[in-house]
Amino acid sequence: MAQRSPRHLSLISSSDSRSRESPSRNGSQPTSRRRRRQRRTPSSSSKPLGFLNGLMKPFFKSSKSSNSTSRFPGGEGSQTAESLKPLVSQLRQRQQTREQQQQRLKTPPPRRNRPRQASTSPIPPLIANNRRNPNLPPPPSSQSLSRRPLSSPSSSLSPQPPVSARPRVSKQPKRRFSPMIYGARLLILGVGIGVISGTVLSVLSSLGRLGSSATPTTANLGLESQLEATPTPVGVETLPLSVQLNQEIQTVKQQILALTPENSDLKPGILLVDLDTGGYVDINSESAFAAASTIKVPILVAFFQAVDEGKISLNEVLTMEGQHIAGGSGDMQYQPSGTEYTALETATKMIVISDNTATNMLIERLGGAEFINQKFLDWGLHNTVIRDVLPDLRGTNKTTPKDLVNLLTQLNQGGLVSMKSRDRIFRIMEKTENDSLLASGLGRGATIAHKTGNLKSVSGDVGLIDLPNGKRYLLAVLVERNDEDSAAESLIRNISQTVYESFTRSPETETESTEDSEVEESDNSEDTEEDDQ
């Protein structure tokens, strides 16, 4: 090849410089063709190497040419190329290391063991900045890449040991406070405490029941347990009434005691309870008397209690058999054996006409005398018992005025039976045909639901009385006598009349009568003083 002149070389270099400094198509600042080719290359990893190759290409061409000594006098180009080879190899090595790091980042190891590689090369940020902004100046020379000034090419381009990567310290994320989880834990804790406390209380209550079962208990019937503690009246301290007894009515008691003649064979037992005020009169109310037909009242209550429990229906058919037939009061005894009656009809005849045969039929249907006696005890009727079938002429069936009043008190307050059955019981008792005792001592307008009883040794009556002025009271009178003494019946009528008059007397009338008595007493005292003089 012919050797070119220096002028020709200068023209070529000037043309190359003009081509490098020619403006771009869009009118921006001048850029080289090599940079445009670098932007077109798709691989990001080859751009740094292409950029360096573009910078070193003139030196490599001069080293390969045969006339390098002629172009670069003294062999300076070959020495410079030889001195840059270690730099290029080091840059390629670092680029490969960076590519390997990027490949490892794409498939990261477990979080706790993943090392953190710190790159110490300043070349990639410079290349990236140059790629984003093509108007930046070319990268610095190899002398500026080293941290220390170059003393010699060999010493400045010596390979540096790779920087060891420090392992990343994995920090566990802090748990955030969740109010829902906290509330759920509190709820579970509360439920557990409640279950444990409930179990302990149930065990303690069962132990308490076992301890209390060893002591005798008394039936607490009616609504007495719901009332406040009050002083116990004399003579009715064990009476479980549902009304609050206040004080004894002394005036009425004295009037009743005055009705009993002296040196009489009559032995009365009386209990009067004012359902409005709680006043009472108690005269030998706990003494047991022959019950006679008054025993039919608790039997009637037991019948309607069985109706409420579904053990018997009102329209159930009962057959009268030979062992049921009894003498005394009632008309069922005149019917042939095998006659059928409904349960309601049988119970009505037992009260209205005091039929003894109907009573025996109901006793058997309800389960027998022993079963009914147990019910009496459950109701608090401790002195009421059935020992013989009706008519019980020997008087073995017993009761007390206190038990009879207690029973009617519970009925009046809605105890023992349902309200419907209670109303039916009182309607049946209002139809009692024998009105010779308590009913005969009442005035016009008063109503009574009662049941009488008469034997040779006893006469009695018990009832709930409603007066026209709105007063309501309970009265039970049993009089023990000798050989059908009619004085017992007269005493019962007089007692009923006395109580009726005391309850119908207005407060104004009582005040006037009290003032008249005081005036009479003062007049008598004046007369006495005059006689003494």
Side-chain angles (χ1 to χ4, degrees):
M1 175 180 259
Q3 189 174 9
R4 294 181 181 181
S5 61
R7 181 182 181 184
H8 184 69
L9 292 173
S10 63
L11 292 174
I12 292 173
S13 60
S14 63
S15 64
D16 292 336
S17 63
R18 283 195 301 268
S19 63
R20 286 193 300 269
E21 296 174 359
S22 61
S24 61
R25 294 178 183 179
N26 55 4
S28 61
Q29 294 180 359
T31 179
S32 64
R33 293 178 182 177
R34 295 187 184 90
R35 293 181 181 177
R36 287 197 297 269
R37 283 198 297 270
Q38 289 174 2
R39 285 198 299 270
R40 294 192 188 98
T41 54
S43 176
S44 62
S45 62
S46 62
K47 286 180 182 181
L49 293 176
F51 178 72
L52 294 174
N53 289 332
L55 292 176
M56 302 301 150
K57 189 173 183 181
F59 300 99
F60 293 142
K61 285 182 180 181
S62 61
S63 63
K64 290 180 182 179
S65 63
S66 61
N67 299 326
S68 58
T69 56
S70 61
R71 295 173 61 185
F72 299 95
E76 293 178 0
S78 60
Q79 292 178 2
T80 305
E82 291 296 333
S83 64
L84 291 175
K85 283 182 181 181
L87 176 61
V88 173
S89 62
Q90 184 179 359
L91 293 176
R92 287 179 179 176
Q93 184 179 0
R94 291 183 179 180
Q95 183 63 26
Q96 290 177 0
T97 304
R98 184 176 181 82
E99 290 177 357
Q100 291 176 2
Q101 291 177 359
Q102 291 178 357
Q103 187 66 24
R104 284 196 297 270
L105 290 175
K106 291 180 181 179
T107 59
R111 187 172 182 179
R112 294 182 179 178
N113 300 325
R114 184 171 60 188
R116 185 175 181 181
Q117 297 290 343
S119 178
T120 59
S121 176
I123 299 300
L126 293 175
I127 297 173
N129 294 333
N130 192 11
R131 185 175 54 195
R132 287 193 298 269
N133 191 358
N135 298 324
L136 290 175
S141 61
S142 60
Q143 294 180 358
S144 62
L145 296 177
S146 60
R147 296 182 181 178
R148 293 178 295 179
L150 295 175
S151 61
S152 63
S154 59
S155 62
S156 62
L157 298 177
S158 61
Q160 297 179 0
V163 180
S164 60
R166 291 180 298 178
R168 180 181 294 178
V169 180
S170 60
K171 295 182 179 180
Q172 296 183 355
K174 296 182 179 180
R175 294 183 178 179
R176 296 182 178 179
F177 176 77
S178 178
M180 296 182 64
I181 296 176
Y182 186 72
R185 290 178 180 176
L186 288 179
L187 179 61
I188 294 172
L189 179 62
V191 171
I193 294 174
V195 171
I196 294 172
S197 60
T199 304
V200 172
L201 290 177
S202 63
V203 172
L204 293 177
S205 62
S206 62
L207 292 176
R209 287 195 296 270
L210 291 175
S212 62
S213 61
T215 59
T217 58
T218 58
N220 186 13
L221 301 175
L223 304 177
E224 184 186 20
S225 60
Q226 302 178 6
L227 300 176
E228 298 179 357
T230 55
T232 305
V234 179
V236 289
E237 49 271 14
T238 60
L239 184 62
L241 295 176
S242 58
V243 294
Q244 185 175 0
L245 302 181
N246 294 325
Q247 59 182 0
E248 194 169 15
I249 308 173
Q250 293 295 333
T251 56
V252 178
K253 184 176 183 179
Q254 295 300 324
Q255 293 174 3
I256 293 174
L257 290 175
L259 296 175
T260 305
E262 296 180 359
N263 300 325
S264 175
D265 294 334
L266 303 179
K267 182 183 177 181
I270 305 167
L271 182 59
L272 166 68
V273 176
D274 185 356
L275 295 177
D276 297 328
T277 62
Y280 68 96
V281 172
D282 181 16
I283 300 174
N284 199 24
S285 66
E286 296 183 8
S287 298
F289 294 85
S293 290
T294 59
I295 197 67
K296 298 173 183 177
V297 177
I299 295 175
L300 180 66
V301 176
F303 167 74
F304 275 98
Q305 192 176 75
V307 171
D308 293 337
E309 294 173 355
K311 297 179 179 179
I312 186 173
S313 61
L314 296 177
N315 56 0
E316 179 180 340
V317 177
L318 303 179
T319 303
M320 183 184 67
E321 299 178 357
Q323 67 270 19
H324 300 149
I325 299 175
S329 59
D331 57 3
M332 294 178 64
Q333 59 183 322
Y334 305 112
Q335 302 298 325
S337 179
T339 304
E340 294 180 348
Y341 300 92
T342 63
L344 181 59
E345 183 180 3
T346 304
T348 303
K349 285 181 174 294
M350 178 182 65
I351 299 297
V352 175
I353 61 176
S354 192
D355 199 300
N356 294 327
T357 302
T359 306
N360 295 333
M361 292 173 63
L362 287 181
I363 291 174
E364 183 181 2
R365 177 62 184 84
L366 293 175
E370 294 182 0
F371 179 78
I372 298 175
N373 289 335
Q374 184 60 44
K375 280 189 172 293
F376 295 165
L377 291 175
D378 296 339
W379 298 345
L381 312 182
H382 301 290
N383 296 314
T384 301
V385 61
I386 301 173
R387 294 190 177 97
D388 196 3
V389 295
L390 274 293
D392 185 29
L393 298 177
R394 296 178 300 171
T396 57
N397 300 332
K398 299 292 184 178
T399 190
T400 63
K402 181 186 68 175
D403 285 353
L404 295 176
V405 172
N406 179 21
L407 181 65
L408 293 183
T409 302
Q410 296 182 62
L411 286 178
N412 182 60
Q413 298 295 333
L416 302 180
V417 296
S418 63
M419 301 299 290
K420 184 186 295 185
S421 296
R422 182 203 67 172
D423 296 340
R424 284 174 174 166
I425 289 173
F426 285 133
R427 282 198 299 267
I428 291 173
M429 293 178 67
E430 288 176 0
K431 298 177 182 179
T432 300
E433 293 182 354
N434 187 358
D435 293 336
S436 61
L437 299 179
L438 291 180
S440 63
L442 302 176
R444 183 178 300 178
T447 59
I448 180 173
H450 68 116
K451 180 68 190 77
T452 59
N454 286 291
L455 287 176
K456 290 182 179 180
S457 60
V458 67
S459 179
D461 198 355
V462 56
L464 173 67
I465 297 95
D466 284 305
L467 301 182
N469 59 1
K471 283 284 188 179
R472 171 177 283 191
Y473 60 90
L474 292 169
L475 180 60
V477 181
L478 295 175
V479 180
E480 188 175 320
R481 62 183 179 179
N482 293 327
D483 297 331
E484 298 186 30
D485 189 354
S486 60
E489 299 175 353
S490 300
L491 178 61
I492 295 173
R493 287 192 293 267
N494 294 333
I495 293 173
S496 178
Q497 183 178 0
T498 301
V499 174
Y500 171 79
E501 291 177 354
S502 65
F503 276 85
T504 55
R505 188 182 299 117
S506 61
E508 296 178 356
T509 306
E510 293 180 356
T511 305
E512 291 177 357
S513 62
T514 305
E515 292 176 354
D516 294 339
S517 61
E518 291 177 355
V519 171
E520 291 177 358
E521 289 178 358
S522 62
D523 294 339
N524 294 333
S525 62
E526 291 177 357
D527 294 339
T528 306
E529 291 175 357
E530 291 177 356
D531 295 338
D532 294 340
Q533 291 176 355

